[in-house]
Amino acid sequence: MENFTVLLDGPSMNRAITRIAHEIIERNKGIDEVILVGIKTRGAYLARRLAERIESIEGKAIRTGELDITLYRDDLTPKHDQAQVKQVDIEHEVKEQKVVLIDDVLYTGRTVRAALDAIMDLGRPAQIQLGVLVDRGHRELPIRADYVGKNIPTSSAERIVVNLVETDKEDIVTIHKFEE
């Protein structure tokens, strides 16, 4: 049996995105040397939303990009080994820039580790920061987010599900508890 609870609805998600946008601008003293890079799939959509919000605040566009980190993962299953092709869609030079990685959920840290490897293959940024919509804990690597929409302590018997309008037709974050 599966039970779930709504953690963020659409308006709550929008407020979290607005707060993260302001924090990115404030911490970096503007956006001139900043590139937002979304980790596909949902992180890329969140990065686009953040870029729109930052542009509405600053009055100018922020540079953006996307990463598909599948081939950088160290925990691939055999079914994925040959099926995925690495995709990096960043048209901007990352060298000496502040790269802000954006993802939907921070859990073990392995996705972020893979994204760090992918970014470093492009050049050496001045700094890499991390923004996530939800931090659920349970890190396996020493990684923490600089910008967090919501911290949700979870157990290993729970799962966080992020639904976005772009992929799932609604904005909602839920926590699913599995019982036997």
Side-chain angles (χ1 to χ4, degrees), residues 19-34:
R19 183 171 34 78
I20 292 170
H22 281 283
E23 289 173 1
I24 290 170
I25 295 165
E26 183 176 335
R27 177 172 176 171
N28 294 291
K29 297 176 177 61
I31 59 169
D32 292 336
E33 298 175 356
V34 179

Side-chain angles (χ1 to χ4, degrees), residues 88-102:
V88 178
D89 185 12
I90 303 173
E91 297 177 4
H92 313 285
E93 179 73 36
V94 299
K95 184 178 179 186
E96 299 303 318
Q97 298 299 299
K98 296 176 184 176
V99 174
V100 182
L101 292 172
I102 303 296

Side-chain angles (χ1 to χ4, degrees), residues 75-113:
D75 56 353
L76 285 175
T77 58
K79 70 178 182 174
H80 292 109
D81 283 342
Q82 297 176 1
Q84 302 292 329
V85 175
K86 174 181 68 174
Q87 292 182 346
V88 178
D89 185 12
I90 303 173
E91 297 177 4
H92 313 285
E93 179 73 36
V94 299
K95 184 178 179 186
E96 299 303 318
Q97 298 299 299
K98 296 176 184 176
V99 174
V100 182
L101 292 172
I102 303 296
D103 205 5
D104 57 348
V105 178
L106 178 56
Y107 183 34
T108 63
R110 292 190 179 280
T111 297
V112 175
R113 189 222 37 94

Side-chain angles (χ1 to χ4, degrees), residues 9 122 149 172:
D9 58 9
L122 299 175
I172 191 168

Side-chain angles (χ1 to χ4, degrees), residues 86-178:
K86 174 181 68 174
Q87 292 182 346
V88 178
D89 185 12
I90 303 173
E91 297 177 4
H92 313 285
E93 179 73 36
V94 299
K95 184 178 179 186
E96 299 303 318
Q97 298 299 299
K98 296 176 184 176
V99 174
V100 182
L101 292 172
I102 303 296
D103 205 5
D104 57 348
V105 178
L106 178 56
Y107 183 34
T108 63
R110 292 190 179 280
T111 297
V112 175
R113 189 222 37 94
L116 291 170
D117 288 347
I119 290 292
M120 294 305 283
D121 280 353
L122 299 175
R124 184 174 176 168
Q127 189 176 52
I128 300 176
Q129 302 167 16
L130 175 62
V132 296
L133 185 59
V134 176
D135 183 344
R136 67 170 289 191
H138 300 279
R139 224 70 80 236
E140 294 175 3
L141 301 170
I143 291 173
R144 70 167 178 78
D146 299 285
Y147 313 103
V148 178
K150 190 162 182 81
N151 283 295
I152 308 291
T154 62
S155 77
S156 55
E158 295 172 317
R159 186 171 50 107
I160 300 287
V161 177
V162 175
N163 290 322
L164 300 176
V165 167
E166 295 88 342
T167 56
D168 311 295
K169 304 208 183 347
E170 73 173 326
D171 285 337
I172 191 168
V173 177
T174 54
I175 185 168
H176 296 249
K177 300 173 185 178
F178 297 95

